C-alpha cells in the first residue's frame, strides 16, 4: 500500500495518528552540586523536527528559592514558563506554567521543535538542593528518522 505524505510511520512501521503518539518520562531528582546546580540541564535529546507538549508533576517538594524554566537553548522558557521561586513547586503540583497547581491542569500547548533542538531545564539564581519532578513529553515526529530520548541526569 502506498503512503501519501499525510501518513507518517514510526520506527516500528506503524502509522502515527496523533500529536500525542509518543510518551516519555524524565524523572529528575534535584541535588545541590549536580542535578540542582544553576545552569542548563538537558531533559530530552532531540533529533529532527517534532510537535511536542511537556509538563512536570512534582513528587517531592523542591528546596531552594531558584528560578526554574523549561525550553530550548534559544528560548529557555519557551516550553514551560519560569517559576520565580522553585519552593512553590510542591508535592502533588503540576507544572504547566509559571504558577503550578494541585490536582488538575489543562494539557499544555503543543510546540514545534526545529532541527533537533534539545529540551533543557534551566535553574537560575541559586541551586535547587532537594526535590523530585517527573517531566513528561508527548509528541510526534514531523519527518522520518527523528528521535527523542530521555537524557540521564548528570
Amino acid at each position: 500500500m502506498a503512503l501519501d505524505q499525510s501518513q507518517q510511520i514510526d520506527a516500528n512501521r506503524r502509522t502515527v495518528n496523533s500529536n500525542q503518539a509518543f510518551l516519555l518520562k524524565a524523572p529528575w531528582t534535584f541535588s545541590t552540586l549536580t542535578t540542582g546546580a544553576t545552569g542548563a540541564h538537558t531533559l530530552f535529546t532531540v533529533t529532527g523536527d517534532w510537535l511536542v507538549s511537556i509538563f512536570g508533576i512534582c513528587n517531592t517538594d523542591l528546596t531552594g528559592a531558584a528560578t526554574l524554566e523549561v525550553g530550548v537553548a534559544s528560548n529557555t522558557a519557551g516550553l514551560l514558563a519560569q517559576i520565580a521561586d522553585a519552593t512553590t513547586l510542591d508535592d502533588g503540583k503540576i507544572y504547566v506554567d509559571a504558577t503550578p497547581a494541585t490536582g488538575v491542569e489543562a494539557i499544555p500547548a503543543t510546540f514545534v521543535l526545529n532541527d533537533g533542538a534539545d529540551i533543557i531545564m534551566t535553574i537560575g539564581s541559586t541551586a535547587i538542593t532537594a526535590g523530585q519532578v517527573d517531566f513528561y513529553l508527548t509528541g510526534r515526529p514531523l519527518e522520518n528518522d527523528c528521535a527523542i530520548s530521555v537524557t540521564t541526569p548528570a
Side-chain angles (χ1 to χ4, degrees):
M1 174 175 129
L3 298 177
D4 65 38
Q5 291 194 13
S6 66
Q7 294 176 311
Q8 291 187 308
I9 305 295
D10 69 13
N12 296 314
R13 309 283 307 148
R14 294 187 193 129
T15 303
V16 176
N17 295 316
S18 166
N19 285 349
Q20 299 176 353
F22 294 95
L23 171 66
L24 293 173
K25 176 182 172 183
W28 199 274
T29 301
F30 295 87
S31 178
T32 305
L33 298 176
T34 54
T35 55
T38 58
H41 303 269
T42 303
L43 292 172
F44 299 97
T45 302
V46 180
T47 58
D49 299 338
W50 284 81
L51 289 177
V52 299
S53 293
I54 188 167
F55 59 93
I57 297 178
C58 185
N59 297 306
T60 306
D61 295 1
L62 299 191
T63 306
T67 60
L68 179 67
E69 59 197 38
V70 176
V72 297
S74 62
N75 187 355
T76 59
L79 299 173
L80 294 177
Q82 183 183 88
I83 297 174
D85 179 352
T87 63
T88 63
L89 187 52
D90 296 323
D91 183 14
K93 287 195 174 179
I94 303 166
Y95 178 21
V96 298
D97 56 30
T99 54
T102 303
V104 66
E105 282 276 11
I107 293 174
T110 300
F111 298 92
V112 177
L113 290 182
N114 182 284
D115 291 337
D118 290 345
I119 297 172
I120 61 172
M121 170 184 60
T122 303
I123 299 169
S125 69
T126 189
I128 298 175
T129 59
Q132 197 277 330
V133 176
D134 289 333
F135 289 95
Y136 292 90
L137 177 141
T138 62
R140 69 172 281 162
L142 293 175
E143 57 189 4
N144 294 332
D145 299 324
C146 293
I148 293 183
S149 61
V150 174
T151 304
T152 304

